[in-house]
Amino acid sequence: MIRTLIRPLQSARVIQIPIRTTVIVERVHPLTKLRPWENIYDYSKYKYIDFQYRVVRDTDTEKWGNIDVILAEYVEGVGYKGEIVNVPREVAYRELLPAQLALYPTKENIALFEEERKLLVDRPQISPFVMKCRDYLKSILLQIPMNLKLKDWSVTRDNIRIALRRINVMCDEDAIMLEENAVNQDTYKLGEEFNVVLKINPLVDVAIKCVIVPVDKAKLWDEYQLSKRKPKS
């Protein structure tokens, strides 16, 4: 079975992706009985109801599940060269295998990457979820609420931790690499961005872009008190 995909704005370029599929059917009605001397391949002997089927199983509409592949190159967030990984079939058939980034884990292909597989024993293993977390934190601009009306203020690790918690990222203060009093009323200009390094694990860290958002705590407290006085509808 071959599907033809035409990319938008590139109507002249046609990509054909071979897809293996299986469809299992069964007859709706029992087959008409023929006499012993009649030819079973003479379709004129059959009735219309003899060609009615119902689909029992269609592998093309089922969930694909996962498949094991051996990586031919390093793929970020998936694994190292020579590593056998279990990935969704959709990712394997549409991304890894067509681009020759992975192969089926046959005996010949495993032997082909024998040297790389020996190096994997001493190489630290990094979870794909760690890399996704790193990519997410690299793409955000972390807003740090701060009361700038105070005479002496500075950004602390606790401020960073609370700001991360507001975007559903939990971490310990020890994982935040920030020098004490590095960002304060003397060194920071309003609207200026600065970086804070977060250690996701002993092997991976990420620099997060941060910006301070002025917050008047007294005003917020007054609004909170007013909201409590409003009658519930």
Side-chain angles (χ1 to χ4, degrees), residues 24-220:
I24 302 175
V25 297
E26 66 178 2
R27 296 183 184 276
V28 178
H29 305 285
L31 188 64
T32 301
K33 293 183 178 180
L34 301 179
R35 295 184 177 89
W37 59 85
E38 292 180 324
N39 186 4
I40 61 174
Y41 296 106
D42 185 2
Y43 295 108
S44 62
K45 301 291 184 180
Y46 298 104
K47 301 178 182 178
Y48 171 75
I49 60 175
D50 293 332
F51 299 97
Q52 294 181 347
Y53 303 92
R54 69 168 60 93
V55 177
V56 177
R57 182 185 177 191
D58 184 1
T59 59
D60 194 39
T61 59
E62 293 178 350
K63 291 185 176 180
W64 283 16
N66 289 10
I67 185 175
D68 289 335
V69 295
I70 181 169
L71 296 178
E73 297 290 343
Y74 169 74
V75 181
E76 186 173 355
V78 180
Y80 294 97
K81 182 178 180 179
E83 185 177 0
I84 298 177
V85 294
N86 187 263
V87 297
R89 291 178 183 266
E90 184 175 359
V91 174
Y93 291 152
R94 295 183 179 176
E95 298 180 15
L96 299 179
L97 294 173
Q100 297 184 353
L101 295 174
L103 303 171
Y104 291 105
T106 61
K107 293 182 179 179
E108 294 79 7
N109 292 335
I110 293 176
L112 188 63
F113 297 98
E114 189 64 30
E115 295 183 2
E116 287 80 1
R117 290 179 56 78
K118 290 179 181 178
L119 297 176
L120 292 175
V121 178
D122 300 327
R123 182 174 294 169
Q125 300 296 313
I126 299 176
S127 169
F129 300 102
V130 172
M131 308 307 292
K132 290 181 179 179
C133 179
R134 185 200 66 176
D135 294 340
Y136 169 70
L137 293 176
K138 284 174 62 176
S139 64
I140 66 172
L141 179 61
L142 184 64
Q143 297 183 351
I144 303 174
M146 185 69 64
N147 186 5
L148 302 183
K149 292 185 177 181
L150 298 176
K151 293 183 179 180
D152 298 325
W153 62 266
S154 63
V155 178
T156 63
R157 294 181 180 181
D158 191 52
N159 297 132
I160 305 295
R161 182 185 61 82
I162 294 173
L164 287 171
R165 191 174 64 182
R166 292 177 65 245
I167 59 173
N168 299 323
V169 176
M170 307 299 176
C171 70
D172 297 330
E173 290 188 14
D174 296 337
I176 301 172
M177 313 300 292
L178 177 67
E179 295 183 6
E180 190 174 354
N181 294 326
V183 182
N184 53 42
Q185 73 278 0
D186 298 327
T187 61
Y188 181 77
K189 295 181 180 180
L190 189 61
E192 186 180 25
E193 297 179 5
F194 61 95
N195 291 337
V196 171
V197 178
L198 176 65
K199 212 166 183 59
I200 301 178
N201 62 25
L203 300 173
V204 180
D205 52 42
V206 58
I208 307 175
K209 292 181 180 180
C210 304
V211 65
I212 292 179
V213 179
V215 174
D216 189 346
K217 293 184 179 180
K219 184 178 179 181
L220 290 175

